[in-house]
Amino acid sequence: LMFGKARTCNIVTVPEHEPSECNIVILGANGSGKSALTVKFLTKRFISEYDPNLEDTYSSEEVVDQQPVLVKVMDTADQDGPVNCERYLGWANAFIIVYSIDNRTSFEACQQYLEAVTLYSKGLQPEGPVILLGNKVDMERYRQVSKADGAALALRFGCLFFEVSACLDFLSVQQIFHEAVREVRRE
Ligand code: GDP
Ligand code: MG
């Protein structure tokens, strides 16, 4: 007969507290897929037609690395680039700036957002992580922005860079939002 070694039990008191919160704002040109990405993250579904003028904030209770967190996502709907940024600059803990890999103009618009966000957060503690995100990788055949161009822009602004598709697998979309949470926790 074998007996397991008696185990010492460490009693750890876990403080009862509300899950921490993480506010994420999604920025980028009209049509880049901000709403499709937000809806995919929240519902696991791809919604192909979404009111282009609708701007709203959604909440989702997530578990990231075994830690609960209330993620709030502000899906913006700017018509002319970064205007009235006050509504999200102070609110956001993290920024996801989206372009569509099949649309060069949407990529160029990201630069304005990167400038607005970095100008604002310069000198702030914490600065607020920024993710540059190339969407619609399923449109590879119509690609107008190379992966190298995306990576170079991200490097210039010292932010993270990913490519994704709102209409392909859910997990890679979820991964982007979870990465934003991890970056906020690291600060
Ligand atoms: P927003 O203006 O940035 O919110 O963009 P939307 O989410 O409304 O998407 C604009 C258009 O692009 C819609 O017709 C979507 O169906 C389409 N779209 C969004 N994401 C993707 C994607 O990953 N792949 C493809 N092929 N189309 C997408
Ligand atoms: Mg939208």
Side-chain angles (χ1 to χ4, degrees):
L1 259 172
M2 296 268 289
F3 291 95
K5 239 173 128 187
R7 288 185 51 172
T8 32
C9 273
N10 294 319
I11 295 171
V12 179
T13 37
V14 178
E16 260 184 58
H17 55 67
E18 292 293 303
S20 61
E21 293 190 10
C22 184
N23 296 347
I24 302 174
V25 64
I26 317 287
L27 302 168
N30 223 326
S32 54
K34 299 179 297 295
S35 299
L37 287 163
T38 303
V39 172
K40 179 82 163 203
F41 169 61
L42 296 166
T43 69
K44 302 191 179 170
R45 286 159 197 262
F46 175 66
I47 307 292
S48 64
E49 291 304 323
Y50 203 81
D51 181 350
N53 302 311
L54 191 65
E55 179 163 301
D56 216 335
T57 302
Y58 310 89
S59 299
S60 177
E61 285 175 21
E62 299 286 315
V63 177
V64 181
D65 303 330
Q66 291 89 50
Q67 297 277 335
V69 55
L70 183 67
V71 175
K72 292 188 186 165
V73 182
M74 187 192 292
D75 173 29
T76 63
D78 280 339
Q79 301 306 315
D80 320 286
V83 284
N84 301 321
C85 313
E86 308 77 33
R87 71 190 190 283
Y88 53 76
L89 282 176
W91 176 84
N93 301 118
F95 303 86
I96 299 179
I97 302 179
V98 184
Y99 63 93
S100 174
I101 65 141
D102 67 352
N103 184 315
R104 189 81 203 172
T105 312
S106 73
F107 178 66
E108 278 147 19
C110 285
Q111 186 166 325
Q112 291 176 273
Y113 282 104
L114 285 163
E115 278 164 3
V117 166
T118 49
L119 185 69
Y120 169 79
S121 47
K122 204 181 285 171
L124 287 185
Q125 269 321 318
E127 250 180 41
V130 182
I131 293 176
L132 178 65
L133 185 60
N135 185 34
K136 309 196 190 181
V137 285
D138 59 293
M139 301 292 273
E140 184 62 44
R141 284 193 298 162
Y142 306 101
R143 189 187 272 275
Q144 291 182 0
V145 184
S146 71
K147 208 168 179 175
D149 284 351
L153 184 62
L155 188 66
R156 190 144 71 80
F157 283 91
C159 63
L160 295 173
F161 170 63
F162 300 100
E163 284 190 347
V164 79
S165 166
C167 63
L168 297 179
D169 68 301
F170 163 72
L171 287 178
S172 52
V173 173
Q174 185 192 50
Q175 163 74 16
I176 307 294
F177 288 84
H178 284 192
E179 204 50 42
V181 171
R182 289 192 187 100
E183 285 296 314
V184 169
R185 284 177 180 164
R186 273 184 206 120
E187 284 186 322

